[in-house]
Amino acid sequence: MNIETFRNHCLSLKGVTEKMPFEKASSPYDRNLLVFSFADKWFCFVNIEVFDFCDLKSSPEDSAQLQEAYDAVRPGYHMNHRHWISVYFNQDMPDKRILEFVDDAYKRVLASL
């Protein structure tokens, strides 16, 4: 998968917007984070330059199960580890499955509104 495929999938979800809110961050990595949200509620973000992983909104139960099932899933980078996971690309989780978890993260935000 590449950044354009990933970005197009996220933006195909109804009402999703994107922004890069960390332009003043001290870290170059953080300055290149692209955030996807619905109604200003984040559900996903990814670094557009490195494109090594995405952070996704998740339930604590799903997070624990996914971390046990996949090496590609770890606690969320810079986020609450109970409610966010980091999913690394090009590891043991197929791209199709990653996009399913993007959809799930989106649905979690919708349900919370």
Side-chain angles (χ1 to χ4, degrees):
M1 182 170 2
N2 61 43
I3 183 61
E4 283 306 315
T5 300
F6 187 83
R7 180 177 173 263
N8 288 337
H9 179 81
C10 291
L11 292 175
S12 74
L13 302 170
K14 185 177 174 132
V16 170
T17 59
E18 64 180 348
K19 63 182 171 183
M20 294 183 71
F22 303 112
E23 62 187 32
K24 295 181 181 178
S26 60
S27 160
Y29 190 92
D30 291 346
R31 280 194 300 272
N32 289 313
L33 291 176
L34 179 63
V35 175
F36 298 96
S37 59
F38 178 85
D40 282 333
K41 299 282 186 185
W42 297 13
F43 68 91
C44 175
F45 63 87
V46 63
N47 182 290
I48 62 170
E49 293 296 322
V50 180
F51 195 66
D52 51 347
F53 70 91
C54 61
D55 258 22
L56 300 171
K57 190 97 165 144
S58 182
S59 74
E61 299 79 24
D62 289 346
S63 176
Q65 291 174 352
L66 290 169
Q67 288 179 62
E68 288 177 18
Y70 296 99
D71 290 335
V73 179
R74 301 182 195 143
Y77 168 78
H78 277 311
M79 301 300 279
N80 180 322
H81 292 176
R82 284 185 42 85
H83 300 284
W84 287 84
I85 54 173
S86 292
V87 180
Y88 286 77
F89 302 114
N90 303 315
Q91 293 192 12
D92 63 337
M93 183 180 282
D95 291 348
K96 181 180 178 185
R97 191 78 172 122
I98 293 172
L99 296 178
E100 289 171 0
F101 286 113
V102 169
D103 295 349
D104 183 62
Y106 168 77
K107 290 173 187 171
R108 284 184 192 288
V109 167
L110 289 179
S112 73
L113 298 175

